[in-house]
Amino acid sequence: MSYAGHAGLELTVVRQLPRTISQFIPLPAVPFRATELTHHPMTRGTTVRTTSLPLMHAALALAGLGTALLGPILPLLASQWHMLDSDSGLLMAAKFCGAFLGGVTVSKKLEQTLLVGFLAAALGFGGFAVAPGWHAGALGLAFGGFGIGRIITATNILAGRRFTEHRGSALAGLNLSFTIGAMLSGLGAAWLLPHFALRGVLLCFAGAFALVGLWLRTETRGESEVVATNGFEVTPAFNGRIFAYFAALLFLYGGLETCLAGWITTFAQRYGDKTAGSFAWSEYTTALLWVSLSVGRAIASRLMLRVGEKTVQRAGLAATTVCVAALTAAHGGISIAVVVLLLGMSLSPFFPATFALLMAEGPTAGMAGMVIAASGLGAASLPWLMGVTSTRTGSLVTALGIPLGAAALMLALSFIRGSRARTAVALKA
């Protein structure tokens, strides 16, 4: 929402992601290079240069690592910097406030937005690596979050414009790289931190952003970016009500996912089996959440070839609400692990399904960026509120009422609009 500790290992994983994913995810074929000019299917013959699919996978994999950065190491940081739960919540808030600003400032020149995002993430996470305390660390995280916000927003808008048929399936396949990156954050913390200093691991992670930014710069050097706008301008169907609807959904989703990813390690340490409740064991609980999200995205990519995005969205939210409620009653390593596994599976299709529904409405890059930025705002506020609640009540279980309420409200919102989005698109056609 994180450790690429070993730079060579991370770059190997990033390079192999597209090939691995293509073996079981039905992504559209992409025979052209990043610097080729192609006719965009939504622009009525307008010539548009597209970013290469491998680079998009690499961008989202790193964004996933950065998004899930804090959760796996939060207990370690809390011990080193003597933080309360409310202080830990402020660290999360700083990163996702930065992500919100990164999303709302996305420009029409999406590849330029990506490049700035890689630079900001490299500088921000590099600063976080050398921070002497949590105040300076929060500043570095805010800057790194700004970069991640731009990377996630620009990449998903590029993909949403590029894949116009079975958009939800294609977005689920592409965002599988995001969840794989997030999964590697927990595994990387468990594997690397017992052997390497945290500062060195974080510096390698920051360097990976710089390398992928250099990759993007190399691909696009000497080319002028052509902006696709036809078919994506705000139409009468895309009004303030539709914008507010999707922004509310993404706000709650960002808060819900980050509450789970950010606090599940701490929750597992406090309420898991004490005999097996070491730091490394709790890290695997976090990794399990992202593994289940990855598997769920792979399944959702195929499922949305046959089932509508709205149906998949509602079914997943219903299961998510039940699973968060079950987590409040889960005490013990096995029960927590089972609930976390089911949580990841049920939550996995929400973002690709919802973003596909949004892109079907034809928003501009700026409008879509503001909707995605709303998820950063939710990710900044709800985990912080969860930390404050835990501090004041002395119970992280009580604080789980916040993500539970978010899941229930998302489920209710999914029934408000019904099929009106599809009706609007049909009328425009």
Side-chain angles (χ1 to χ4, degrees):
M1 58 44 227
S2 62
Y3 291 101
H6 197 291
L9 173 62
E10 176 178 332
L11 291 176
T12 300
V13 172
V14 168
R15 289 194 189 100
Q16 292 178 347
L17 280 175
R19 180 179 302 175
T20 304
I21 292 169
S22 64
Q23 294 174 355
F24 57 93
I25 300 297
L27 288 175
V30 185
F32 46 82
R33 300 186 307 273
T35 55
E36 287 188 59
L37 295 177
T38 182
H39 292 290
H40 197 284
M42 292 285 285
T43 58
R44 301 188 183 97
T46 301
T47 300
V48 180
R49 191 188 69 224
T50 58
T51 307
S52 69
L53 189 61
L55 194 146
M56 293 166 73
H57 278 289
L60 286 181
L62 280 179
L65 282 160
T67 299
L69 169 75
L70 205 52
I73 62 168
L74 194 55
L76 181 60
L77 291 175
S79 176
Q80 290 182 351
W81 289 343
H82 309 290
M83 297 187 299
L84 300 173
D85 283 352
S86 55
D87 299 328
S88 300
L90 285 174
L91 280 183
M92 296 184 198
K95 180 158 66 79
F96 287 102
C97 279
F100 170 76
L101 292 175
V104 297
T105 56
V106 66
S107 69
K108 291 183 178 180
K109 295 186 176 182
L110 296 172
E111 290 176 352
Q112 185 180 83
T113 295
L114 267 178
L115 189 60
V116 172
F118 286 125
L119 177 62
L123 293 176
F125 289 117
F128 177 65
V130 299
W134 76 266
H135 293 90
L139 182 61
L141 283 176
F143 209 70
F146 176 82
I148 286 180
R150 294 177 77 88
I151 292 169
I152 293 174
T153 303
T155 304
N156 276 285
I157 294 173
L158 284 167
R161 291 179 171 183
R162 180 166 167 180
F163 305 128
T164 57
E165 291 187 13
H166 302 296
R167 184 182 278 119
S169 174
L171 286 170
L174 182 63
N175 278 275
L176 176 59
S177 293
F178 178 92
T179 54
I180 288 175
M183 173 186 68
L184 291 176
S185 68
L187 293 175
W191 293 341
L192 297 175
L193 291 184
H195 308 289
F196 300 96
L198 177 60
R199 175 171 295 184
V201 172
L202 290 174
L203 287 173
C204 288
F205 175 57
F209 280 101
L211 288 175
V212 179
L214 181 61
W215 176 9
L216 174 63
R217 179 59 180 162
T218 301
E219 281 192 342
T220 59
R221 182 177 298 171
E223 299 285 346
S224 59
E225 183 173 356
V226 180
V227 182
T229 56
N230 295 336
F232 288 98
E233 296 296 337
V234 176
T235 66
F238 194 86
N239 52 34
R241 182 177 298 179
I242 296 176
F243 171 80
Y245 171 76
F246 282 105
L249 280 174
L250 268 293
F251 173 87
L252 293 169
Y253 167 73
L256 171 60
E257 185 181 76
T258 309
C259 281
L260 297 174
W263 287 107
I264 196 64
T265 298
T266 304
F267 184 86
Q269 280 195 331
R270 293 182 184 177
Y271 301 103
D273 298 325
K274 299 302 181 183
T275 57
S278 66
F279 176 76
W281 176 86
S282 62
E283 291 307 318
Y284 286 107
T285 304
T286 303
L288 183 61
L289 174 66
W290 292 108
V291 168
S292 61
L293 279 165
S294 300
V295 174
R297 289 254 165 99
I299 295 172
S301 182
R302 289 192 175 274
L303 183 61
M304 282 187 281
L305 291 173
R306 299 171 177 81
V307 182
E309 286 93 353
K310 176 62 73 174
T311 301
V312 174
Q313 179 201 60
R314 288 173 177 168
L317 286 174
T320 297
T321 304
V322 172
C323 289
V324 177
L327 187 62
T328 63
H331 296 286
I334 294 178
S335 59
I336 291 174
V338 170
V339 174
V340 166
L341 178 65
L342 295 176
L343 257 175
M345 294 284 287
S346 61
L347 190 59
S348 61
F350 177 82
F351 179 79
T354 304
F355 195 71
L357 293 169
L358 168 67
M359 293 303 293
E361 301 283 0
T364 62
M367 297 295 283
M370 285 190 285
V371 170
I372 294 181
S375 69
L377 196 59
S381 56
L382 296 191
W384 167 78
L385 184 59
M386 191 173 170
V388 171
T389 303
S390 176
T391 298
R392 292 186 177 180
T393 64
S395 172
L396 198 54
V397 173
T398 301
L400 281 174
I402 293 170
L404 177 59
L409 185 53
M410 289 163 65
L411 178 60
L413 285 173
S414 72
F415 286 94
I416 289 179
R417 279 178 51 80
S419 60
R420 283 191 288 172
R422 292 190 296 272
T423 302
V425 173
L427 290 174
K428 286 188 287 184

